[in-house]
Amino acid sequence: MLNVNNLNAYYGEAQVLHNVSVSVGRGQVVVMLGPNGHGKSTLLKAICGLAESVAGEISYQGQPIDHLSTDKLVNMGVAYIAENRELFPYMTVQENLKLGAYVKAARPHEKKNMAKVFSLFPRLKERRTQLASTMSGGEAKMLAVARGLMSNADFLCIDEPSLGLQPSLRLELFSTIKEINKQGKTIFLVEQNIPHIAELADKIYVMEEGCISFEGNSKEALGDKHLKEIFLGM
């Protein structure tokens, strides 16, 4: 569904990604692990048309997308869910969700997708008239993911959804992400050091210093001593 070949990315003169190649198959959950500041978020931003400068090839469903704007990508079904959530704090939960359906491709599906996200996130339904600024960190993360679903995207790039959450909320959020995948969404997920992340993934990559240092399935990841100790916290 998504293929990235020999991607290089830059911020000014500083090179962040070095010949990165990854692939995500339709219906998969693919997880990118690695230390903070080593290029994982830059890769997601490059895929979603948000990186400052890139060179290489990115294709989605067989079409090159490396020079497309973010709004065109969203209309094609690619959504980016940022680590810092980027919610509108003085709007309600429901208003934030409606803004997620602003793109042309999503408007006809707004009511159906609203019902789906309220089914996936019952807490958001309970708090639909609450201002986003008054939500807990976990609730805000849920709202960010739910708003991404409102775009009617088939491919979700989710940047560190568990960052700053207590363990019980991490588990709840990952369980919901797995359910989203079961409903037919393809997911490319960036995380850091989550011991149970391997259970979620069809494929795992590790990025270190802007390069891919590991690619394999969950069984291979759990059998890799370096990966277990450094990135899975085991």
Side-chain angles (χ1 to χ4, degrees), residues 113-160:
N113 287 335
M114 187 76 74
K116 280 186 178 180
V117 299
F118 281 154
S119 174
L120 285 164
F121 299 99
R123 205 174 308 187
L124 296 183
K125 185 175 183 179
E126 293 170 6
R127 290 159 172 72
R128 60 186 178 274
T129 60
Q130 184 175 327
L131 293 181
S133 61
T134 65
M135 304 183 80
S136 69
E139 291 165 349
K141 291 276 188 177
M142 291 175 188
L143 179 54
V145 174
R147 191 177 62 180
L149 290 170
M150 289 296 296
S151 70
N152 208 46
D154 294 314
F155 188 92
L156 301 176
C157 292
I158 309 178
D159 196 356
E160 299 205 37

Side-chain angles (χ1 to χ4, degrees), residues 83-103:
E83 169 201 328
N84 59 7
R85 304 188 289 271
E86 297 182 353
L87 302 175
F88 292 89
Y90 301 111
M91 298 179 75
T92 67
V93 167
Q94 189 151 335
E95 287 168 341
N96 269 278
L97 290 173
K98 285 184 176 238
L99 282 175
Y102 78 94
V103 295

Side-chain angles (χ1 to χ4, degrees), residues 41-57:
S41 295
T42 299
L43 175 59
L44 288 193
K45 289 177 180 177
I47 291 168
C48 298
L50 295 165
E52 184 176 310
S53 177
V54 298
E57 298 176 354

